[in-house]
């Protein structure tokens, strides 16, 4: 009987750790994102390269590491750029702490000119996509991000 208690105890501890991390990942799924700064890197005839600084507030009690992400940048249903895995392995601190993630975006100049003809200053740019995080052996993918930027605030 005593030999049976050790495996049952270890299984219970393993299940408890798994449940705790899974719960924290579910809390992390509701993380708040905010674009706080847009910095111009370079401007050419083909592209405008920007760096977006995204503020992340993680309400879970675990620190996570970003494993991958993809964002689509659109205005007026026209895709003007996309972002894919430019700065992975960023650490997002837990316990309600604020983390900042720099993301490089390359926008197509021709598409922006089309937008400019219809009043770029009053446009909204939509950043829509997902990212994945990891804690130890646990991974969580496809955490949704949807942020709207009013260009008036940055121009």
């Amino acid at each position: 009987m005593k030999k049976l208690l050790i495996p049952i105890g270890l299984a219970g501890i393993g299940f408890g750790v798994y449940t705790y991390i899974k719960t924290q990942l579910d809390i992390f799924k509701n993380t708040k994102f905010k674009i706080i700064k847009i910095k111009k890197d370079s401007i050419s005839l083909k592209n405008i390269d920007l760096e977006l600084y995204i503020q992340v507030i993680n309400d879970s009690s675990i620190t996570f590491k970003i494993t991958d992400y993809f964002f689509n940048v659109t205005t007026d249903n026209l895709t003007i750029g996309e972002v894919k895995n430019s700065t992975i392995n960023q650490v997002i601190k837990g316990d309600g702490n604020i983390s900042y993630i720099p993301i490089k975006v390359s926008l197509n100049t021709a598409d922006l000119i089309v937008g400019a003809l219809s009043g770029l200053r009053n446009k909204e740019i939509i950043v829509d996509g997902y990212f994945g995080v990891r804690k130890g052996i646990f991974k969580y993918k496809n955490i949704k991000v949807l942020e709207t930027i009013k260009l008036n605030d940055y121009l």
Side-chain angles (χ1 to χ4, degrees):
M1 183 67 170
K2 287 183 182 181
K3 290 182 180 180
L4 189 59
L5 291 177
I6 291 174
I8 290 174
L10 290 175
I13 290 170
F15 180 74
V17 168
Y18 170 79
T19 304
Y20 173 74
I21 291 178
K22 178 79 171 109
T23 302
Q24 294 304 314
L25 283 169
D26 289 339
I27 293 169
F28 183 76
K29 187 176 179 184
N30 297 320
T31 296
K32 298 163 196 77
F33 300 93
K34 182 179 180 184
I35 296 173
I36 58 167
K37 182 179 176 185
I38 299 175
K39 178 181 156 191
K40 290 182 282 187
D41 277 349
S42 67
I43 298 175
S44 69
L45 290 175
K46 288 185 177 183
N47 289 319
I48 296 175
D49 295 326
L50 303 172
E51 193 163 15
L52 302 178
Y53 292 91
I54 298 180
Q55 175 183 336
V56 181
I57 301 173
N58 177 7
D59 288 330
S60 75
S61 61
I62 297 180
T63 297
F64 293 100
K65 207 175 242 189
I66 295 177
T67 57
D68 66 320
Y69 56 80
F70 174 81
F71 300 108
N72 221 3
V73 183
T74 61
T75 184
D76 290 337
N77 295 323
L78 176 68
T79 299
I80 57 174
E82 63 181 39
V83 182
K84 189 173 185 179
N85 291 344
S86 61
T87 52
I88 57 174
N89 293 325
Q90 291 282 329
V91 174
I92 299 178
K93 298 176 237 160
D95 293 324
N97 286 311
I98 298 173
S99 301
Y100 300 97
I101 303 171
I103 295 179
K104 295 186 181 288
V105 180
S106 184
L107 303 176
N108 185 325
T109 307
D111 292 337
L112 280 175
I113 290 171
V114 169
L117 294 176
S118 58
L120 184 62
R121 201 173 224 338
N122 297 320
K123 291 286 183 200
E124 288 185 346
I125 292 182
I126 299 169
V127 178
D128 184 18
Y130 67 88
F131 70 96
V133 295
R134 175 174 149 174
K135 178 65 178 178
I137 61 170
F138 299 98
K139 285 186 176 180
Y140 200 81
K141 293 189 171 208
N142 298 330
I143 297 173
K144 187 85 172 128
V145 175
L146 179 61
E147 183 71 31
T148 301
I149 305 166
K150 295 185 183 198
L151 286 181
N152 249 356
D153 298 340
Y154 296 97
L155 293 178

